[in-house]
């Protein structure tokens, strides 16, 4: 007997009021377009999403229809149709379909039923996850890590409400309307703007700081883990009450009136927050109507508009990838007027201001700002290159980068096998077909023409010749697309005037590379060396939000421990190779070649360069030495590393990125 899997009850989730309200509103009105849940790990994002499906009213479907057609309005183009009016129907719970980030295209959209094709049963289409999610919920955990070719499929289905299949000799279309729910940790990278805009609502979640609330969360989770059946039974009444309320809100939805005043308030809020396009207005209006229905009202009020705006607008305010999503509560109050009384039936305060200590509370402009601290805690005024006194820290300064520009495209020469991206040539899971291999040696989709050709060649050797298919005939396509790469910058952050000016330009270059990496799914890291050691200030990442914040706070000053910087970069690349051996990397060292961390510093830096050369690290040295008389230390360093060498007198961000583009095109 199959063991029953217990899902943590939705009503038992505490400390995530905005998340619960957003999920409930999409349950009341699926036309809102789903929910994006952003937050750090361990904040019950997945727990709440998986519990949502149990609250939704069951759906009635045509019996034996694999595409969940509605008996009252079946899809005329349903591959299992046409369905006559007398077709039998059944009622079943709403499905929560999980889309793994590593899923193949055939699993998402479906493909040829191989078993029936090989057994001579004819060509039959096997539905994928989009068909299964029709009239339900499609859930993508870590949605920001979803491969681009799957993102394209989701965008098409979300825009058209249908999935189109053109592959493996199959050509058909079927309905695919679902609520898209995604969870993500922003530190692991951001979403493409097109997919971000497809989510109707978004929520930022964080672990509560109230000890009593944290204790209650742990107590409930331990109780559930110890006795899932008993814990679920204890919340059965609360779950039933919530489910009945969602059903009642759905029934009330057509009766809710969106008056001219409320519609004008929606337009005023969206215009005030300067969102792109009209989708924000539509989503905000639908969410306000759903909120009114959930609260038992038949007319939309400003409280409903406020609650809808807090959930529908934050992720649409990002003007570029460096902007953090969020909501200006003061501006919202100014547009909508005084905060209305939400009434006792409004869970979550009717979209009122977030609690003072909540995740949406504004941060004081001077809180935690690195640039507000004095440059030299000792108050001493020392020359930039002066040897620091043993009892006084080396003076440091924090230099802000300039506005990021668009970086040039640069690629790694040759053909790699890295993670699917948008930069260098590689054998990937998506792209154009360049060949085929036996099915047991490849991971691509079935290559129908090559399979038939293999079967024909085998059958031609038999007497009499008769075409038949056996598993050994199966061939998979070899696809060539684009991969993402790792660019690791190792930057001198010591304390001369030139270094301080250089740091602003280098920071701008790194931000530009990050912006390009965001668009092309690259990863970029930053190692700096100053004073006595080297620091990995930016671990390899695709998250431009985290990267921008750390770069702006990067200090400069002190001596130049060049050897430590090179060894830290080598260790970072070694760890990244272990983590992802197929991702090709380029090390970019920005230095004048001087090493001022002690008498033996020069010899240590040359030994570190020899180590990088032995490891076969593809590298580029950018010489930042200035002045009429130059020592040429960076050129000597590049020769020892086996690296490309570029001299940049007054180092500009554009010069750095251009040099990277030229060298990366030559590095294999």
């Amino acid at each position: 007997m199959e063991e029953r899997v217990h899902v943590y009850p939705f009503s038992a989730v505490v400390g995530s009021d905005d998340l619960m309200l957003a999920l409930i509103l999409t349950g009341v009105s699926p036309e809102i377009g789903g929910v994006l849940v952003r937050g750090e790990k361990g904040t019950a994002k997945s727990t709440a999403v998986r519990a949502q499906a149990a609250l939704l009213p069951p759906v009635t479907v045509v019996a034996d229809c694999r595409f969940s057609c509605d008996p009252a309005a079946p899809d005329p183009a349903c591959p299992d149709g046409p369905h006559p009016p007398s077709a039998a129907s059944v009622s079943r719970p709403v499905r929560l379909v999980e889309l793994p980030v590593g899923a193949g295209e055939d699993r998402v959209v479906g493909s040829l039923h191989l078993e029936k094709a090989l057994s001579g049963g004819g060509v039959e289409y096997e539905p994928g996850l989009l068909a299964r999610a029709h009239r339900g919920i499609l859930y993508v955990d870590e949605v920001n890590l979803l491969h681009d070719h799957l993102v394209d499929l989701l965008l098409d289905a979300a825009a058209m409400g249908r999935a189109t299949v053109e592959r493996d000799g199959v050509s058909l279309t079927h309905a695919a309307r679902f609520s898209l729910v995604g969870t993500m940790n922003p530190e692991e990278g951001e979403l493409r703007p097109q997919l971000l805009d497809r989510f109707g609502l978004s929520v930022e979640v964080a672990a509560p700081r109230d000890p009593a609330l944290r204790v209650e969360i742990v107590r409930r989770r331990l109780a559930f883990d110890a006795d899932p059946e008993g814990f679920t039974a204890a919340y059965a009444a609360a779950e039933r009450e919530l489910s009945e309320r969602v059903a009642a809100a759905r029934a009330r939805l057509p009766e809710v009136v969106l008056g001219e005043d409320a519609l004008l308030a929606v337009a005023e809020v969206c215009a005030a927050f300067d969102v792109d396009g009209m989708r924000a207005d539509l989503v905000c209006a639908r969410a306000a109507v759903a909120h009114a229905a959930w609260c038992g009202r038949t007319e939309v009020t400003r409280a409903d508009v406020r609650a809808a705006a807090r959930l529908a607008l934050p992720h649409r305010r990002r003007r570029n990838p460096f902007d953090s999503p969020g909501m200006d509560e003061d501006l919202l109050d100014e547009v909508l007027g005084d905060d209305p009384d939400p009434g006792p039936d409004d869970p979550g305060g009717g979209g009122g201001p977030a609690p003072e200590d909540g995740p949406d509370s504004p941060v004081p402009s001077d809180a935690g700002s690195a640039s507000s601290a004095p440059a030299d805690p000792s108050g001493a005024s020392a020359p930039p290159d002066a040897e620091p006194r043993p009892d006084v820290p080396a003076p440091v300064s924090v230099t802000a980068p300039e506005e990021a520009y668009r970086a040039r495209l640069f690629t790694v020469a040759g053909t790699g096998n890295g993670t699917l991206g948008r930069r260098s040539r590689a054998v990937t899971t998506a792209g154009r077909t360049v060949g085929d291999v036996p099915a047991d040696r490849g991971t691509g989709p079935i290559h129908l023409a090559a399979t038939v050709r293999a079967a024909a060649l085998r059958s031609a050797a038999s007497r009499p010749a008769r075409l038949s298919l056996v598993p050994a005939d199966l061939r998979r396509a070899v696809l060539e697309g684009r991969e993402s790469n790792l660019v690791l910058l190792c930057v001198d952050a010591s304390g001369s005037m030139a270094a301080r000016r250089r740091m602003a330009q280098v920071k701008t270059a790194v931000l530009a590379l990050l912006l390009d990496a965001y668009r092309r799914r690259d990863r970029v890291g930053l190692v700096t060396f100053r004073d006595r050691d080297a620091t990995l200030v930016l671990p390899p990442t695709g998250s431009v939000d985290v990267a921008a914040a750390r770069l702006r706070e990067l200090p400069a000053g002190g001596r130049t421990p060049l050897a430590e910087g090179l060894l830290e970069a080598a260790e970072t690349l070694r760890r990244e190779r272990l983590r992802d051996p197929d991702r090709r990397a380029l090390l970019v060292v920005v230095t004048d070649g001087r090493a001022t961390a002690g008498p033996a510093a020069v010899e240590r830096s040359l030994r570190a360069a020899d180590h990088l050369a032995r490891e076969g690290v593809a590298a580029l040295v950018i010489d930042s030495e200035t002045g009429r008389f130059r020592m040429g230390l960076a050129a000597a360093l590049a020769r020892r590393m086996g690296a490309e060498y570029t001299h940049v007198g007054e180092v500009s961000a554009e010069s750095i990125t251009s040099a990277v583009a030229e060298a990366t095109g030559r590095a294999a």
Side-chain angles (χ1 to χ4, degrees), residues 18-38 52 180-183 191 195-204 279-280 282-288 290-291 304-305 307-316:
D18 283 348
L19 171 57
M20 297 175 72
L21 179 60
L23 292 174
I24 285 173
L25 292 184
T26 58
V28 171
S29 177
E31 291 78 12
I32 288 174
V35 182
L36 174 64
V37 189
R38 299 165 48 94
Q52 177 201 15
L180 180 61
V181 180
T183 54
L191 280 178
L195 183 58
L196 184 67
D197 191 51
R198 282 294 172 183
F199 286 98
L201 310 179
S202 71
V203 180
E204 291 276 346
R279 184 172 287 118
L282 291 171
V283 171
C284 195
R286 289 168 179 158
H291 189 268
D304 301 318
V305 174
R310 291 185 65 249
L311 299 174
L313 300 186
H315 61 301
R316 293 186 166 87

Side-chain angles (χ1 to χ4, degrees), residues 244-275:
E244 291 172 354
R245 187 172 176 186
V246 170
R250 274 196 178 185
R252 189 181 300 112
L253 196 66
E255 304 172 6
V256 178
V257 176
L258 180 64
E260 286 298 320
D261 288 345
L263 192 56
L264 180 60
V266 168
E268 288 174 342
V269 168
C270 292
F273 282 94
D274 194 25
V275 295

Side-chain angles (χ1 to χ4, degrees), residues 150-489:
L150 298 184
V151 171
D152 294 336
L153 294 175
L154 287 185
L155 289 174
D156 290 341
M160 306 301 296
R162 305 190 66 81
T164 301
V165 184
E166 297 284 352
R167 57 178 298 153
D168 298 338
V170 176
S171 177
L172 57 84
T173 178
H174 64 80
R177 291 184 297 275
F178 46 80
S179 291
L180 180 61
V181 180
T183 54
M184 60 174 283
N185 183 349
E187 293 187 0
E188 297 173 348
E190 288 295 338
L191 280 178
R192 281 172 53 182
Q194 297 91 335
L195 183 58
L196 184 67
D197 191 51
R198 282 294 172 183
F199 286 98
L201 310 179
S202 71
V203 180
E204 291 276 346
V205 295
R209 297 294 178 254
D210 181 1
L213 190 56
R214 296 173 74 98
V215 166
E216 182 62 22
I217 292 172
V218 173
R219 181 185 292 117
R220 294 190 185 189
R221 186 70 217 191
L222 292 177
F224 175 78
D225 292 341
D227 182 12
E229 188 170 354
F231 187 88
T232 303
Y235 282 88
E239 290 287 285
R240 187 165 52 253
E241 181 181 348
L242 267 178
S243 181
E244 291 172 354
R245 187 172 176 186
V246 170
R250 274 196 178 185
R252 189 181 300 112
L253 196 66
E255 304 172 6
V256 178
V257 176
L258 180 64
E260 286 298 320
D261 288 345
L263 192 56
L264 180 60
V266 168
E268 288 174 342
V269 168
C270 292
F273 282 94
D274 194 25
V275 295
D276 293 331
M278 296 299 298
R279 184 172 287 118
D281 301 64
L282 291 171
V283 171
C284 195
R286 289 168 179 158
V289 171
H291 189 268
W294 169 247
C295 295
R297 294 190 287 269
T298 56
E299 185 173 355
V300 174
T301 67
R302 288 193 169 238
D304 301 318
V305 174
R306 192 181 203 286
R310 291 185 65 249
L311 299 174
L313 300 186
H315 61 301
R316 293 186 166 87
R317 296 186 59 238
R318 292 170 62 95
R319 312 308 300 177
N320 63 64
F322 295 114
D323 297 334
S324 297
M327 175 61 70
D328 187 341
E329 299 278 353
D330 293 335
L331 178 57
L332 189 60
D333 290 339
E334 182 181 339
V335 175
L336 292 178
D338 294 336
D339 221 21
D341 183 6
D345 292 333
D346 187 352
E356 190 169 318
D357 294 331
D360 291 323
S361 57
V363 179
S365 59
D366 58 348
S369 171
S371 59
S372 62
D376 185 356
S378 68
S381 176
D385 284 331
E387 190 75 14
R389 297 188 299 273
D391 57 339
V392 179
V396 298
S397 62
V398 177
T399 307
E402 301 170 3
E403 184 178 353
Y405 59 91
R406 187 178 183 90
R408 295 183 184 180
L409 169 65
F410 57 94
T411 61
V412 176
T415 303
N417 295 281
T419 304
L420 196 66
R422 292 184 164 188
R423 187 169 302 279
S424 303
R425 290 176 54 192
V427 175
T428 60
T429 57
R432 64 188 182 93
T433 301
V434 295
D436 61 89
V437 294
D440 58 352
R441 288 172 44 197
T443 58
I446 295 298
H447 194 310
L448 188 59
T451 298
V452 172
R453 183 170 60 249
L457 292 174
R458 178 185 52 78
S459 300
S462 63
R463 296 289 186 270
R466 184 175 66 87
L467 181 64
S468 62
L469 288 174
V470 298
D473 296 328
L474 286 179
R475 309 286 293 182
R476 292 191 180 275
V478 176
L479 305 177
E480 184 178 292
R482 296 282 172 173
E483 68 175 358
S484 61
N485 300 117
L486 166 63
V487 176
L488 180 65
L489 290 103

